[in-house]
């Protein structure tokens, strides 16, 4: 590929390569044909093709034009500006600044002022900064594990964070949002008390990372992407402060879900997951590798990359075959064959293979996936997708049975994301209301 017209500072830069990909995906997702898009952007079609292909620089004018036409809330302009500022944005990545960020989050407004695309662009900057902050870690390019032990209060906080993870699985994010913020507030107070030092402070920062991740995930589940992005940034900052690659990589894996759930952002999700994999490196346990591979597969399915998706699912299953390890982080309790098959079913459905999706969902249930009892929020989402797969195969009775099951799972769950999946399913079933079972479901819900 010729690059003679490209700014040398942009050539081969990962963030700008991702920016071009995001611009391309957002344009395609808009549904506008090239001629109309170029006309509204005010540039020649050939020129814009060369910008997306990397043969011409992404200028401020082009980024602003894409933001204006695609209504992306200055996402592309912000990303380009961040690159011009040496790939960083906001406060420095050091302990005092990161504590100030976390404190600001806890005191700040709950108003979500960022859209999906702008939140995704900022997540990419945070991930890059996090990775750079950890580069001075262990000899294999990763950071050392945060030690256990320390004052009894740390064990109490750790136990509560574990409880919140499981509470989120069972009742959804509405209550967990406030509880996670309360835990984060306590942890920040313990850090700033100056009563602790050394490995104890490292552990507190690792806990702050997990509390921020839980708050971020709850915000995303409640359809507040901008707030989720800010807490994901806090998660990564605390992870870097702790020198703990795992907590940040785990946070990135959830940030990736936010991205691949957003139109035009699946490529960014793949990049976030690759950053996580690069940073945990050879120290990742098999269960960690399985989780990252499975979520990469799901992101790839959204991009339409069928072969690459299948390869990542193979890696996930192979990793699980290595067995559970004593050193597995306890946050990975949910990573098992059932979860991997549920993800595989979701990926197959997205790739247009409903028959394979049904097979994978059935394989998950056969592996004793405890969805009804332990993961009703996630199970409702998977059941809604199973119903969609049955509908695509013209099996209305099976589709309704799965839809009813999903509704039962959501009876005591507060999750905007899960509810929206069920709402979309009802809209897909509506044209089939002449079928008695469908009509009854739509009437009763």
């Amino acid at each position: 590929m010729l690059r003679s017209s490209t700014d040398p500072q942009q050539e081969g830069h990962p963030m700008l390569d991702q920016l071009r990909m995001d611009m391309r995906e957002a344009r395609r997702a808009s549904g506008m044909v090239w001629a109309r898009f170029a006309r509204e952007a005010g540039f020649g079609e050939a020129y814009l093709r060369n910008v997306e292909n990397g043969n011409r620089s992404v200028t401020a004018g082009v980024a602003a034009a894409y933001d204006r036409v695609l209504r992306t809330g200055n996402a592309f302009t912000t990303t380009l500006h961040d690159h011009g500022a040496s790939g960083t944005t906001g406060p420095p990545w050091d302990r005092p600044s990161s504590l100030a960020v976390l404190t600001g989050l806890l005191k700040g407004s709950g108003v979500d002022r960022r859209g999906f695309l702008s939140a995704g662009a900022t997540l990419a900057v945070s991930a890059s900064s996090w990775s750079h902050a950890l580069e001075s870690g262990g000899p294999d390019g990763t950071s050392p594990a945060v030690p256990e032990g320390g004052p009894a209060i740390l064990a109490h906080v750790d136990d509560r964070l574990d409880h919140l993870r499981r509470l989120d699985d069972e009742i959804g994010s509405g209550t967990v949002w406030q509880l996670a913020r309360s835990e984060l507030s306590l942890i920040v107070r313990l850090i700033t008390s100056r009563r602790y030092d050394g490995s104890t402070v490292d552990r507190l920062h690792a806990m702050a990372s997990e509390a921020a991740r839980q708050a971020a995930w709850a915000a995303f589940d409640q359809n507040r992407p901008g707030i989720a992005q800010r807490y994901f940034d806090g998660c990564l900052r605390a992870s870097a402060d702790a020198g703990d690659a795992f907590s940040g990589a785990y946070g990135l894996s959830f940030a990736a879900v936010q991205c691949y759930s957003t139109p035009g952002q699946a490529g960014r999700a793949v990049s976030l997951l690759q950053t996580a994999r690069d940073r945990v490196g050879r120290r990742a346990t098999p269960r960690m590798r399985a989780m990252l591979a499975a979520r990469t597969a799901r992101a790839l399915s959204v991009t339409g990359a069928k072969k690459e998706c299948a390869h990542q699912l193979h890696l996930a299953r192979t990793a699980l075959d290595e067995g559970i390890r004593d050193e597995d982080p306890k946050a990975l309790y949910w990573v098992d064959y059932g979860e991997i098959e549920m993800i595989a079913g979701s990926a197959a459905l997205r790739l247009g293979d409903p028959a394979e999706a049904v097979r994978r969902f059935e394989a998950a249930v056969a592996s004793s996936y405890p969805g009804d009892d332990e993961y009703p929020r996630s199970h409702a989402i998977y059941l809604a997708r199973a119903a969609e797969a049955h509908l695509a195969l013209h099996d209305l009775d099976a589709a309704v049975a799965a839809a009813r099951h999903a509704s039962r799972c959501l009876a005591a769950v507060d999750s905007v994301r899960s509810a929206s999946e069920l709402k979309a399913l009802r809209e897909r079933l509506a044209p089939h209301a002449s079928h008695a079972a469908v009509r009854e479901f739509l009437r009763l819900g």
Side-chain angles (χ1 to χ4, degrees):
M1 181 184 293
L2 297 175
R3 290 184 177 271
S4 57
S5 298
T6 303
D7 183 343
Q9 291 185 344
Q10 292 197 5
E11 187 172 358
H13 192 283
M15 186 181 295
L16 289 169
D17 289 343
Q18 181 65 53
L19 173 60
R20 290 188 179 92
M21 183 184 301
D22 291 340
M23 292 166 67
R24 181 186 299 113
E25 290 188 6
R27 175 185 54 76
R28 289 174 176 172
S30 73
M32 281 189 279
V33 298
W34 256 119
R36 177 189 167 192
F37 178 79
R39 182 173 62 255
E40 293 193 15
F43 290 87
E45 180 179 333
Y47 178 83
L48 294 181
R49 286 182 185 273
N50 278 322
V51 170
E52 289 188 8
N53 292 334
N55 292 329
R56 286 188 175 275
S57 301
V58 183
T59 65
V62 169
Y66 273 67
D67 281 329
R68 173 174 51 79
V69 176
L70 300 175
R71 300 179 181 178
T72 52
N74 294 325
F76 302 130
T77 303
T78 298
T79 301
L80 184 65
H81 176 270
D82 290 336
H83 166 66
S86 303
T88 61
T89 183
W93 281 62
D94 54 37
R95 282 191 171 180
S97 300
S98 295
L99 280 174
V101 167
L102 293 175
T103 301
L105 284 173
L106 294 168
K107 293 181 178 179
S109 168
V111 177
D112 195 343
R113 292 190 173 90
R114 281 188 179 270
F116 284 116
L117 285 174
S118 56
T122 309
L123 279 171
V125 177
S126 296
S128 177
S129 299
W130 169 76
S131 183
H132 289 310
L134 285 172
E135 278 184 351
S136 60
D140 61 351
T142 63
S143 56
V146 174
E148 296 294 326
I153 191 172
L154 271 65
H156 296 320
V157 173
D158 198 34
D159 286 343
R160 287 199 299 273
L161 290 174
D162 187 51
H163 173 68
L164 285 184
R165 282 191 286 265
R166 298 171 191 272
L167 196 63
D168 178 62
D169 294 332
E170 294 188 28
I171 68 171
S173 55
T175 300
V176 172
W177 158 249
Q178 291 296 346
L179 293 175
R181 293 179 78 250
S182 294
E183 291 299 324
L184 180 59
S185 178
L186 171 61
I187 295 166
V188 169
R189 196 156 66 246
L190 291 174
I191 293 172
T192 56
S193 71
R194 302 187 183 278
R195 292 170 55 192
Y196 310 106
D197 55 19
S199 62
T200 299
V201 173
D202 291 340
R203 191 175 173 201
L204 282 167
H205 281 281
M207 289 178 177
S209 178
E210 171 59 8
R213 182 204 66 81
Q214 291 187 17
W217 181 244
F220 163 66
D221 193 56
Q222 291 294 321
N223 195 30
R224 303 164 83 183
I227 292 175
Q229 169 267 310
R230 295 199 293 274
Y231 275 91
F232 277 128
D233 177 75
C235 162
L236 295 174
R237 287 176 176 276
S239 165
D241 292 338
D244 175 33
F246 166 76
S247 59
Y250 192 61
L252 280 178
S253 76
F254 284 82
V257 177
Q258 174 173 331
C259 286
Y260 70 61
S261 300
T262 305
Q265 296 289 290
R268 191 184 300 283
V270 175
S271 296
L272 294 182
L273 289 159
Q274 187 59 54
T275 299
R277 293 163 88 165
D278 290 344
R279 192 47 55 203
V280 294
R282 294 188 295 273
R283 296 181 63 252
T285 66
R287 217 171 186 182
M288 181 70 170
R289 298 202 311 272
M291 184 272 290
L292 292 173
R295 286 193 164 166
T296 300
R298 182 71 176 94
L300 287 166
S301 75
V302 180
T303 72
K306 187 173 183 178
K307 290 184 178 179
E308 293 87 344
C309 172
H311 176 63
Q312 291 297 324
L313 287 171
H314 171 72
L315 292 179
R317 295 180 181 114
T318 301
L320 280 186
D321 287 343
E322 297 181 38
I324 296 174
R325 304 292 176 83
D326 289 340
E327 63 270 26
D328 276 331
K330 60 183 178 181
L332 296 178
Y333 63 92
W334 55 273
V335 180
D336 56 19
Y337 288 105
E339 181 67 26
I340 298 303
E341 294 309 319
M342 287 296 189
I343 292 174
S346 300
L349 181 65
R350 185 60 187 246
L351 289 166
D353 191 346
E356 174 63 9
V358 169
R359 286 192 289 271
R360 293 303 98 214
F361 289 132
E362 290 177 346
V365 173
S367 69
S368 301
Y369 178 75
D372 286 5
D373 298 326
E374 297 181 25
Y375 313 126
R377 189 261 308 279
S378 297
H379 200 195
I381 293 174
Y382 292 137
L383 285 165
R385 292 170 186 167
E388 183 181 345
H390 285 300
L391 182 59
L393 295 171
H394 310 291
D395 189 343
L396 290 175
D397 289 331
V400 171
R404 286 174 174 162
H405 193 170
S407 293
R408 291 196 299 273
C409 284
L410 282 183
V413 171
D414 181 358
S415 168
V416 173
R417 186 167 61 109
S418 300
S420 66
E421 289 267 357
L422 195 57
K423 179 182 177 182
L425 175 60
R426 291 172 64 85
E427 291 171 353
R428 292 187 180 96
L429 286 169
H432 305 277
S434 59
H435 187 279
V438 172
R439 186 167 59 253
E440 184 71 3
F441 170 75
L442 294 176
R443 185 177 71 84
L444 298 177

